[in-house]
Amino acid sequence: DIQMTQSPSSLSASAGDRVTITCRASQNIITYLNWYQQKPGKAPNLLIYAASSLQSGVPSRFSGSGSGTDFALTISSLQPEDFATYYCQQSYGTPRTFGQGTKVEIK
Amino acid sequence: EEQLLESGGGLVQPGGSLRLSCAASGFIFSTYGMSWVRQAPGKGLEWVSTISGTGGSTHYADSVKGRFTILRDNSKNTLYLQMNSLRAEDTAIYYCAKDVYYDSSGFWGQGTLVTVSS
C-alpha cells in the first residue's frame, strides 16, 4: 500500500498569512494527488485534483504543486473561512490512501 | 443540482449486518465511479471501497475485504454498501462520494453514522 505522510499535523496562523502543507507519498504517484478541506461536522470538499488542478468553485488563493512523491498545498492569504482540517489523498492505486490530516487553527 | 443522500446507518451489535444506501440525483449516475469513505469519531478519513460506473469493477480496503460489498443499481441511481460481520472498529460516519477527475472524490453526501456496540 502507498503511505501518505502529511506535515505538519497542525498549525496556528493568522488571517492573511501564507500557509503551506506538505504531503509525501511512499512511492511515485506521478500527479495522482488530491487535496480536501473538511470543516467540523461537515463532509470533505475537494479543493485540488491531479496535484495542481483547482476544482471548480474553489477560490484561487488555494494552489497545489508537486509530482512524484512530494506535494504541497498552499493558501496564499488565509481567510477566516479557511480554518479547517486538510487531507491529501493519492488516487494512483487502491487503496486510495489519505494523509493523516493537517488542522489549521487560528493564532 | 447534484445530490447524494445516504441512509441506513444506525446502532448494530458486533457481528451484525447493515446495508447503507446512497441515492444520487442531478447527474448521469451510471457514468461515474462511486466510492465509500468513512471517518471514525475524532479521526481522519479512510477510503473503504470504490465501484466503477457499470459496476463491473470493485475495490476494497484490506480492513473490510471479505466483510463489505459495494453494489450499485443504475436503474435506481443508488449506491449501496452491504456490511456484514461488523466490528467495533467499523464505527464511523460513512460518506458516499462521486469520483471525478483522476479518481478524486469530487462530490460528497452528508454522511450516515454507523455505531457498532453491544
Side-chain angles (χ1 to χ4, degrees), chain A residues 37-58:
Chain A
Q37 176 194 66
Q38 187 180 32
K39 297 180 180 179
K42 300 293 187 182
N45 182 47
L46 177 66
L47 299 175
I48 302 283
Y49 62 92
S52 60
S53 295
L54 195 66
Q55 171 70 337
S56 176
V58 174

Side-chain angles (χ1 to χ4, degrees), chain B residues 38-61:
Chain B
R38 68 184 181 183
Q39 187 168 36
K43 302 297 184 182
L45 301 172
E46 181 187 13
W47 172 84
V48 173
S49 184
T50 290
I51 188 168
S52 63
T54 62
S57 175
T58 58
H59 302 276
Y60 297 93

Side-chain angles (χ1 to χ4, degrees), chain B residues 4-118:
Chain B
L4 293 172
L5 189 60
E6 300 99 333
S7 60
L11 175 64
V12 61
Q13 292 190 337
S17 297
L18 213 54
R19 188 180 214 192
L20 305 183
S21 298
C22 171
S25 60
F27 62 98
I28 303 173
F29 182 68
S30 62
T31 63
Y32 289 92
M34 297 291 295
S35 295
W36 289 97
V37 175
R38 68 184 181 183
Q39 187 168 36
K43 302 297 184 182
L45 301 172
E46 181 187 13
W47 172 84
V48 173
S49 184
T50 290
I51 188 168
S52 63
T54 62
S57 175
T58 58
H59 302 276
Y60 297 93
D62 286 345
S63 58
V64 307
K65 200 173 293 183
R67 300 188 299 123
F68 290 11
T69 302
I70 190 170
L71 305 154
R72 65 190 299 159
D73 186 337
N74 286 343
S75 68
K76 295 182 178 178
N77 289 346
T78 303
L79 174 73
Y80 303 98
L81 187 67
Q82 177 66 44
M83 304 186 296
N84 299 330
S85 303
L86 282 161
R87 307 166 179 166
E89 55 265 35
D90 296 319
T91 294
I93 297 172
Y94 285 74
Y95 297 100
C96 67
K98 170 190 169 189
D99 289 353
V100 292
Y101 318 106
Y102 278 63
D103 290 333
S104 59
S105 292
F107 189 76
W108 298 62
Q110 84 292 346
T112 187
L113 177 63
V114 172
T115 303
V116 184
S117 174
S118 55

Side-chain angles (χ1 to χ4, degrees), chain A residues 1-94:
Chain A
D1 295 359
I2 300 172
Q3 309 303 317
M4 305 302 294
T5 304
Q6 269 181 254
S7 62
S9 55
S10 66
L11 65 90
S12 295
S14 301
D17 285 352
R18 181 182 181 89
V19 168
T20 298
I21 299 167
T22 63
C23 183
R24 175 165 286 178
S26 61
Q27 67 183 71
N28 185 357
I29 58 170
I30 315 176
T31 56
Y32 283 81
L33 191 284
N34 313 305
W35 290 99
Y36 301 88
Q37 176 194 66
Q38 187 180 32
K39 297 180 180 179
K42 300 293 187 182
N45 182 47
L46 177 66
L47 299 175
I48 302 283
Y49 62 92
S52 60
S53 295
L54 195 66
Q55 171 70 337
S56 176
V58 174
S60 58
R61 62 181 179 272
F62 292 93
S63 64
S65 63
S67 65
T69 60
D70 292 308
F71 302 88
L73 173 71
T74 298
I75 309 171
S76 61
S77 178
L78 201 64
Q79 298 301 301
E81 60 268 30
D82 300 336
F83 292 96
T85 301
Y86 294 84
Y87 295 92
C88 64
Q89 180 206 31
Q90 66 81 17
S91 51
Y92 180 77
T94 56

